[in-house]
Amino acid sequence: MRITGYRTLTTVQEWGRPVGDANGVFADGVVPVSIVVVDTDEGISGVGLGPHVEIERVFAAIEGEDPRAVTTLYDRMLRHTFKAGHAGPVFGTIGALDTALWDIKAQAAGEPLWRLLGGRDRRVPAYASGLDIGLTDDELVSEYEVYASHGLRAAKLKGGLDIERDRHRLCLVRDVLTEAGHGRRPGLMLDVNEAWTRKQAVRHVCELERSLDLIWIEEPVRRWDAEGHAAVSRGVCASVATGENLTGLEQYRPLIAAGAVDVVQMAAVWGVTHFLRASALAHAHDLPVSPIGNSPIGLLHAATSVPNHLTSELQDLHRPVGVSIDLHVEDGAFVLGDSPGLGVRVDEELIRAANRRPQPQTADSPNVRPERAGRRLLAGVDGIVPGRQVPVVSLNSHNDVTPTALS
């Protein structure tokens, strides 16, 4: 079997409501989803969800190769980006191609990827994550009632701009999940998307912990700040979760060495091989791992095979336009199907016919770090109004935006 070519597509995820975080909100709830399809001479095609940046350069590393040699081809792709660097969206392109190769390998074996990788249980524990900072109280309650109806008993909210507003919203969701769980205490997490300084993080979380029990605080400071994450971890009761924007084991090592991360996260778009390797690194330090992203299908399959998987992020319960996936959500878990490979099918004609294009990005989107991030003395300044929380803006139309912008 030989790799013969690739195709790229861009579809959208339609949330039907504003979605975003402390950095901004997408008003129309239409988020781009990039897709890579890899073809072979035996008629088997694999699908990877992720960006297309520098794809010609990266694809040259695997063209004409046997796609079943996945892990060595992964390293070959890394070597082909040696001078340009393999961080950021280029790493996402490698991850998308890597995921497509795993899809091909499992299809060729006639098995779902989770079984090929050695998974025993097709169920992957999940938590709800609504990208919800732009919602009113009523909208927030309604959304988490839907999650609760699917058995979700843990939730991660977006916040970080106002302590009292965060406390109020966390309590609303706590009450929804408690009622659905017949009085059982739910799990709560808060994600601030790198919005704070170290002292802001400790002050904000300690105040919340006066009345709430948080499982983790996510990305409290800048992603590379190992000393800062360690200081936050020492200063609060909650675990510190981070890693979704780290690309390559070399970026994880300083944080793990500094005791700066308690829950190691990996983004869906970085690929299956990266997840397996980062999971092994975390396991060597007795740390749990947690995949994040709106379509973490490859990582869900891989999560069944690692001993330190904790929980996986469940964002929208609907699929991207033109994409079907053999899984469902039941009793608080993703349940993977028996389709060979990833179980992903892409309707290319439907995607082209739909021709959904997000509106041009403004400076107030979640993909742009606000100028005053980490330098706000009071809530409700710089155009940020508690209640709706952040300015509502339109979405980036660039095909190379990765889903990690909303995670």
Side-chain angles (χ1 to χ4, degrees), residues 27 245 262 272 332 336:
N245 288 304
D262 303 302
V272 172
L336 298 167

Side-chain angles (χ1 to χ4, degrees), residues 292-317:
I292 67 95
N294 189 46
S295 301
I297 181 62
L299 272 53
L300 296 179
H301 282 265
T304 67
S305 70
V306 300
N308 51 333
H309 173 260
L310 177 63
T311 183
S312 289
E313 183 175 40
L314 170 61
Q315 294 185 2
D316 200 350
L317 288 158

Side-chain angles (χ1 to χ4, degrees), residues 231-403:
V232 175
S233 184
R234 290 192 299 267
V236 303
C237 294
S239 294
V240 168
T242 191
E244 68 181 73
N245 288 304
L246 303 181
T247 53
L249 298 185
E250 69 277 7
Q251 294 189 8
Y252 283 87
R253 285 197 298 265
L255 278 86
I256 291 176
V261 54
D262 303 302
V263 179
V264 179
Q265 297 176 307
M266 295 80 128
V269 294
W270 302 150
V272 172
T273 300
H274 168 69
F275 173 81
L276 294 172
R277 291 180 177 181
S279 294
L281 175 64
H283 185 49
H285 291 82
D286 295 318
L287 294 172
V289 297
S290 180
I292 67 95
N294 189 46
S295 301
I297 181 62
L299 272 53
L300 296 179
H301 282 265
T304 67
S305 70
V306 300
N308 51 333
H309 173 260
L310 177 63
T311 183
S312 289
E313 183 175 40
L314 170 61
Q315 294 185 2
D316 200 350
L317 288 158
H318 302 93
R319 307 284 179 255
V321 172
V323 177
S324 62
I325 306 176
D326 185 13
L327 67 77
H328 65 279
V329 178
E330 177 182 274
D331 295 333
F334 293 98
V335 183
L336 298 167
D338 287 318
S339 297
L342 292 174
V344 176
R345 296 294 176 264
V346 177
D347 188 334
E348 298 183 35
E349 292 185 6
L350 176 59
I351 291 173
R352 294 190 181 98
N355 195 31
R356 289 298 310 272
R357 296 298 176 192
Q359 298 300 312
Q361 170 177 285
T362 75
D364 297 318
S365 86
N367 295 334
V368 179
R369 181 171 170 81
E371 182 180 358
R372 299 289 298 173
R375 292 187 287 122
R376 299 187 181 100
L377 290 180
L378 300 172
V381 298
D382 301 327
I384 298 166
V385 181
R388 265 296 180 185
Q389 285 282 9
V390 285
V392 175
V393 299
S394 297
L395 183 65
N396 191 343
S397 62
H398 197 286
N399 287 351
D400 293 328
V401 173
T402 72

Side-chain angles (χ1 to χ4, degrees), residues 3-57:
I3 298 168
T4 57
Y6 70 89
R7 302 184 304 285
T8 62
L9 300 160
T10 299
T11 186
V12 293
Q13 185 82 29
E14 298 179 328
W15 285 74
R17 60 174 177 79
V19 292
D21 56 36
N23 300 303
V25 172
F26 294 148
D28 54 11
V30 180
V31 180
V33 178
S34 299
I35 302 171
V36 177
V37 181
V38 176
D39 297 320
T40 68
D41 60 359
E42 293 191 12
I44 300 177
S45 296
V47 177
L49 302 178
H52 315 148
V53 176
E54 296 279 356
I55 192 165
E56 290 186 8
R57 178 203 299 266

